[in-house]
Amino acid sequence: MDNKGSNGREEILELANNLRWEIGVDFHDKLMESIYENAATIAARSVSTPDKEAVFSFDKKLDKILTSPVFGFPIMFVVLAVVFWLTVVGANYPSSFLASILIDEFHPVLKSFSLSIGFPGWLSGLLIDGGYLSMAWVIAVMLPPMAIFFPLFTLLEDFGYLPRVAFNMDNLYKKAGAHGKQALTMAMGFGCNAAGVIASRVIDSPRERLIAIITNNFSLCNGRWPTQILIATIFIGGAVPAYLAGIVSAAAVVGIAVLGVVLSLIVSWTLSKTVLKGEASAFSLELPPYRPPRILQTLYTSLIDRTLIVLWRAVVFAFPAGLVIWLVANVNIGGESIASVFINWSDPFAILLGLNGVILLAYIIAIPANEIVIPTILMLTVLVTGLTDFGHGTGVMFEANSTEVTAEILKAGGWTLLTGVNLMIFSLLHNPCSTTLLTIFKETRSVKWTVVSALLPLALGFTVTFFVAQIWRLIAGF
Amino acid sequence: MIDPLTSLIIGFSVILLLVIIFYPGKGLVARFKKNKANTYRVLIEDSLKHLYNCEYNGINCTLNSIAGSLSISADEAAKVAAKLEELGLVVSNENGLSLTPDGRAYALKVIRIHRLWEKYLADETSIGEEDWHHSAEEIEHQMTLAEADKLAAQIGNPVFDPHGDPIPTAKGDLPGKKGKSLDSMKIGEFAKIIHIEDEPHYIYSQLVAEGLYPGMQVQLIESTKERIKFLANGEEVVLAPLFAKNITVAPIKDERKIEGTFKKLSSLKPGEKGKVLGISRRCRGQQRRRLMDLGVVPGTEIEVELESIGGDPIAYRIKGATIALRKSQAENIYIESEE
């Protein structure tokens, strides 16, 4: 390019720059406004809309009921309760069916097959008792509830009800520095935290979205409900007269879930006032018109998008974790398994928290899914106590045939009422499972926020269990 | 096992210690950061900025004014000035101190970073306006020019900071001062706020607390030695003349002059309608773009459709869609009623 040309360009650029001082700050807005104005004029001339008043007035009537001060919240609680009830009850049958096939039937078959083709014992133990069993367990307990919960939830979303819930809940969430739609991602988290984190995409404001992602773990997920119910039945139900046992243990589980919701609001508030203070925030919430849900499409997308993606991530982690679980129980250092070494080493710290080393180790190695925490705890307890009447061998996870047997094993492991209570608290307040962590990373693309999401609940869990344990012991006097 | 009472005490002490160390703004970590910022370089750059401001506003600068502006002793100010002269950034003459071309370029660089950062905070983050200046005061001493250019490109090469001050270009160009101070307006005169001075902080925070911001329409009602009374977007504000001096206004050119109180979207009752006049300048960045994307632009009709259970947010009918907005947002949308 010749000299004159480049000079000319620079002159123009400089003139443009100087003119920008003159046109002032409103220039972008003015431009946008004029585009809208033009678009509106053109549209008014050439677009005709059919009369939709009838549909619209139906929407209006329905909205009046669903957001009314009298019926709004009761309707919301009933709808959500029905969804959860359907999930819990409906998932039982397919879950036990899958478990009987994958664990009771297929596992022994695989085992004898591997022996018949000459696998050494350690290899079949590692791959089949470790990797396969853990994977099978995750599929059996995770798949059915997700396959019921997600389509139901998506149907409600498709119908247009969920945005109204967010609309009603926004006032509460605004006070916590969060977005009304966090009510939805939280509800989704009750099904599965990883899906709750994915669902946070509906929140389009960056700060509120991060808050929803980080606090989703405080929703007691599907994988943790069985743990809560089991422990509450054994320890809390067992501590009160028999005729009260059912109601008291149920109240304890609900109490933990409510504690989770309250903590999620408190943590949201704290985050929005401290580390996330500077993140951009832009609120808006569209209330789409009601429309009949597209059932087949909903089934398809919720199965593919939500259920299978989450399940796949869980399975990918479950296999290697199963290997690790088997290895820590079977590899010996100086005559003791790695598991015992770790449990003995961490016991003093764990007891300070009102827990024990078995629980800590179980939460570390059962990171792929909360569902396998209890089988891992049982296996480890049998391992360290040297009980011989239970389980299927070293490093093989199992679930006891009845609550009584589970209680017997845990009490043999030195569990008290305090251990039970603190396990329930710790089950609510600990790092999210690896599937959720991976999902958080994929959604935020940030190591920093993934680490915060992992450590924040863990720190809270340690703190709460520590103080509960100390105060408990102080009052109990030992 | 450790005695529970002992461990309880240890536990509480650990938490107390963590609070003392990490408490936002007042904790040891925050204090340490603040102290570290108070270095020699900061003194040099702040005095250059002060000298530039004097030059821009046509005032003479002295050692005393430097000492006052930087809150340091006269002795220290003299030391800083000597250092500045040694570096060839400043010359002293009969009128006090003035900048050399190098000194002016240096000052403009610092000012560019400061104003860019304020613009960035205003548009891309949720940090409150009372914190912008403070944060920019720290960043201006840490950022390099290259980083500043990158930031500028990222936010669309802005030419004004959120207070209405022009941002120097990368080459150091800056337009001359425009407009006049609010207290020099005539009674009944209409004008637009184009700049609010952000220093000293106590005046600025008072102006922010009054809800004033660049882009507001003002009309002077009363002007005496004790007080200046004016309408800002239709709402009455009373300021001491000293405070009013920190507000710069310019004539309204291509904008509708609005008499009386500005009506806000938040004032509409269910079923009522209004036509958008504009979005308040206080609503910035992403939030502003979002509203405009939804169709909140002058001329759009908005109808109140539905109140949520607590009465906030409220759903509005905008361009055929039902959009819920929070009260704090609806307050930033000016409308005129229909009917």
Side-chain angles (χ1 to χ4, degrees):
Chain A
M1 192 178 285
D2 69 34
N3 224 0
K4 202 182 162 209
S6 79
N7 272 345
R9 191 179 59 184
E10 262 168 34
E11 262 171 45
I12 293 175
L13 281 176
E14 201 167 320
L15 181 66
N17 261 336
N18 288 335
L19 282 175
R20 289 184 71 203
W21 304 112
E22 299 300 321
I23 54 178
V25 279
D26 298 347
F27 149 68
H28 282 106
D29 289 6
K30 292 254 159 64
L31 199 68
M32 192 142 172
E33 284 160 14
S34 69
I35 292 174
Y36 264 102
E37 218 175 294
N38 280 336
T41 341
I42 297 171
R45 258 204 323 260
S46 50
V47 181
S48 62
T49 43
D51 196 22
K52 277 193 176 168
E53 269 314 296
V55 183
F56 187 53
S57 78
F58 165 75
D59 274 24
K60 265 192 159 170
K61 273 182 203 138
L62 193 51
D63 268 339
K64 278 268 179 302
I65 300 170
L66 293 182
T67 63
S68 92
V70 185
F71 302 112
F73 285 133
I75 291 176
M76 184 182 85
F77 287 124
V78 169
V79 168
L80 290 181
V82 168
V83 168
F84 287 127
W85 184 79
L86 281 177
T87 306
V88 171
V89 173
N92 266 336
Y93 305 100
S95 262
S96 51
F97 175 70
L98 277 175
S100 76
I101 289 192
L102 293 174
I103 297 166
D104 300 341
E105 305 276 336
F106 200 57
H107 176 238
V109 173
L110 264 183
K111 208 55 189 178
S112 53
F113 174 72
S114 72
L115 288 179
S116 73
I117 59 165
F119 267 28
W122 65 267
L123 189 61
S124 82
L126 181 65
L127 291 179
I128 296 164
D129 292 340
Y132 168 76
L133 198 58
S134 145
M135 205 172 73
W137 217 294
V138 167
I139 294 175
V141 286
M142 253 179 126
L143 179 60
M146 285 203 298
I148 296 173
F149 182 76
F150 292 152
L152 284 177
F153 212 74
T154 318
L155 281 178
L156 283 177
E157 197 178 357
D158 209 31
F159 172 61
Y161 179 59
L162 293 189
R164 270 76 184 176
V165 173
F167 182 57
N168 282 334
M169 298 295 285
D170 186 63
N171 208 3
L172 176 66
Y173 280 86
K174 187 185 71 184
K175 287 183 186 128
H179 195 296
K181 285 184 193 163
Q182 193 172 319
L184 307 184
T185 63
M186 226 184 66
M188 193 64 138
F190 282 118
C192 168
N193 294 133
V197 169
I198 296 178
S200 306
R201 282 179 196 167
V202 296
I203 300 174
D204 41 15
S205 171
R207 175 169 67 173
E208 282 75 4
R209 179 158 175 246
L210 268 178
I211 292 177
I213 289 176
I214 296 174
T215 58
N216 197 273
N217 189 42
F218 293 109
S219 291
L220 199 63
C221 72
N222 224 328
R224 293 182 269 175
W225 284 99
T227 310
Q228 299 283 349
I229 293 168
L230 181 72
I231 300 300
T233 313
I234 295 175
F235 291 98
I236 294 180
V240 294
Y243 66 96
L244 284 175
I247 188 125
V248 170
S249 48
V253 176
V254 171
I256 290 284
V258 170
L259 177 71
V261 174
V262 172
L263 278 175
S264 87
L265 286 171
I266 295 174
V267 171
S268 296
W269 183 84
T270 317
L271 285 173
S272 76
K273 290 281 176 250
T274 55
V275 281
L276 292 175
K277 195 176 161 202
E279 298 287 326
S281 157
F283 176 86
S284 74
L285 173 64
E286 196 187 341
L287 302 178
Y290 294 102
R291 57 177 169 225
R294 295 154 299 178
I295 294 177
L296 287 179
Q297 195 183 346
T298 303
L299 271 178
Y300 177 79
T301 51
S302 61
L303 279 181
I304 299 294
D305 280 1
R306 291 175 173 162
T307 314
L308 287 186
I309 286 181
V310 170
L311 189 70
W312 171 244
R313 283 181 189 167
V315 167
V316 166
F317 279 111
F319 193 83
L323 301 184
V324 171
I325 291 172
W326 191 85
L327 285 174
V328 293
N330 282 284
V331 175
N332 292 334
I333 303 177
E336 256 191 307
S337 66
I338 297 180
S340 322
V341 173
F342 179 88
I343 289 167
N344 290 334
W345 172 79
S346 66
D347 241 0
F349 171 68
I351 285 170
L352 206 56
L353 301 177
L355 301 168
N356 58 44
V358 167
I359 299 175
L360 284 193
L361 181 60
Y363 270 99
I364 295 171
I365 58 182
I367 194 174
N370 282 294
E371 282 88 345
I372 55 173
V373 165
I374 286 293
T376 311
I377 284 178
L378 289 180
M379 182 273 282
L380 290 173
T381 307
V382 170
L383 181 80
V384 289
T385 50
L387 292 171
T388 47
D389 308 341
F390 307 101
H392 307 289
T394 316
V396 187
M397 293 184 293
F398 68 96
E399 213 149 48
N401 296 327
S402 68
T403 311
E404 287 75 34
V405 179
T406 312
E408 201 182 317
I409 297 174
L410 292 180
K411 281 174 184 156
W415 287 45
T416 61
L417 178 58
L418 172 64
T419 323
V421 169
N422 270 1
L423 175 66
M424 287 174 75
I425 295 173
F426 194 69
S427 158
L428 174 73
L429 301 174
H430 69 93
N431 54 293
C433 66
S434 54
T435 315
T436 306
L437 285 175
L438 178 70
T439 309
I440 292 175
F441 177 72
K442 291 210 161 161
E443 292 296 311
T444 60
R445 287 269 143 224
S446 149
V447 176
K448 181 182 160 197
W449 296 126
T450 313
V451 170
V452 168
S453 314
L455 296 187
L456 188 104
L458 195 61
L460 255 177
F462 283 156
T463 314
V464 174
T465 48
F466 172 81
F467 281 107
V468 168
Q470 306 318 317
I471 292 169
W472 186 290
R473 285 172 187 148
L474 207 58
I475 292 171
F478 63 93
Chain B
M1 196 170 27
I2 308 170
D3 169 53
L5 194 61
T6 320
S7 46
L8 207 55
I9 293 168
I10 296 174
F12 274 119
S13 327
V14 167
I15 286 187
L16 192 70
L17 198 68
L18 289 176
V19 168
I20 292 175
I21 294 176
F22 291 107
Y23 198 83
K26 293 192 186 107
L28 291 179
V29 171
R31 276 176 200 218
F32 177 73
K33 274 190 187 161
K34 255 182 228 163
N35 282 338
K36 220 177 86 184
N38 233 344
T39 59
Y40 192 63
R41 179 177 165 191
V42 174
L43 287 180
I44 296 268
E45 294 185 343
D46 280 349
S47 37
L48 281 175
K49 242 174 36 177
H50 173 69
L51 287 167
Y52 183 84
N53 278 335
C54 293
E55 193 180 282
Y56 194 72
N57 293 313
I59 319 166
N60 281 337
C61 243
T62 61
L63 281 181
N64 279 335
S65 71
I66 292 184
S69 147
L70 272 64
S71 0
I72 51 175
S73 70
D75 266 6
E76 280 174 299
K79 269 188 215 155
V80 173
K83 185 76 195 169
L84 284 171
E85 268 191 85
E86 195 188 310
L87 291 168
L89 299 169
V90 157
V91 285
S92 59
N93 46 33
E94 67 276 14
N95 291 331
L97 299 161
S98 57
L99 293 164
T100 65
D102 278 353
R104 193 168 301 117
Y106 195 162
L108 278 167
K109 175 208 139 190
V110 178
I111 291 172
R112 173 172 164 80
I113 297 171
H114 181 104
R115 293 183 181 167
L116 270 176
W117 188 252
E118 287 188 328
K119 179 72 177 165
Y120 165 75
L121 292 181
D123 279 9
E124 307 293 325
T125 72
S126 318
I127 293 182
E129 50 192 304
E130 60 289 348
D131 295 331
W132 295 339
H133 182 70
H134 190 74
S135 164
E137 285 285 292
E138 284 171 16
I139 291 290
E140 67 185 14
H141 306 299
Q142 293 155 17
M143 208 184 245
T144 65
L145 256 192
E147 285 167 340
D149 290 346
K150 223 169 124 189
L151 179 71
Q154 217 176 56
I155 56 179
N157 286 314
V159 285
F160 289 100
D161 79 357
H163 307 296
D165 281 315
I167 300 173
T169 61
K171 281 201 300 191
D173 293 334
L174 196 65
K177 213 179 156 185
K178 280 199 293 191
K180 55 180 180 180
S181 72
L182 180 82
D183 61 329
S184 65
M185 282 170 73
K186 291 189 211 54
I187 305 289
E189 189 183 341
F190 260 112
K192 190 163 106 176
I193 299 180
I194 57 164
H195 173 231
I196 294 182
E197 178 55 42
D198 55 7
E199 267 188 335
H201 190 69
Y202 75 96
I203 292 188
Y204 178 64
S205 50
Q206 171 69 28
L207 298 177
V208 169
E210 292 282 355
L212 299 170
Y213 53 89
M216 279 183 128
Q217 291 193 3
V218 289
Q219 186 184 20
L220 197 68
I221 308 175
E222 185 191 323
S223 177
T224 64
K225 269 187 188 160
E226 285 78 36
R227 60 182 206 162
I228 290 183
K229 195 160 143 192
F230 58 98
L231 296 177
N233 279 4
E235 268 166 46
E236 202 175 277
V237 181
V238 179
L239 288 177
L242 174 69
F243 285 65
K245 262 198 176 49
N246 277 6
I247 300 174
T248 314
V249 296
I252 298 174
K253 275 182 284 181
D254 49 355
E255 205 175 300
R256 246 178 81 183
K257 287 176 194 157
I258 301 163
E259 301 265 359
T261 312
F262 279 36
K263 204 167 173 183
K264 294 167 178 169
L265 183 59
S266 53
S267 68
L268 290 184
K269 303 264 169 310
E272 287 183 343
K273 273 184 196 172
K275 206 178 227 176
V276 176
L277 282 176
I279 305 172
S280 153
R281 274 270 138 220
R282 204 170 356 179
C283 174
R284 305 162 192 277
Q286 275 203 18
Q287 183 68 75
R288 188 180 188 85
R289 289 196 291 273
R290 167 74 42 77
L291 286 177
M292 295 178 87
D293 287 343
L294 294 172
V296 182
V297 289
T300 304
E301 235 184 42
I302 296 190
E303 184 184 345
V304 182
E305 187 165 311
L306 196 65
E307 275 184 336
S308 65
I309 292 180
D312 180 19
I314 290 175
Y316 300 93
R317 191 114 191 118
I318 307 172
K319 287 198 184 285
T322 309
I323 309 284
L325 296 177
R326 288 179 178 168
K327 196 167 172 233
S328 55
Q329 296 173 294
E331 272 173 355
N332 278 335
I333 299 172
Y334 295 120
I335 52 153
E336 55 185 349
S337 340
E338 302 206 321
E339 282 115 7

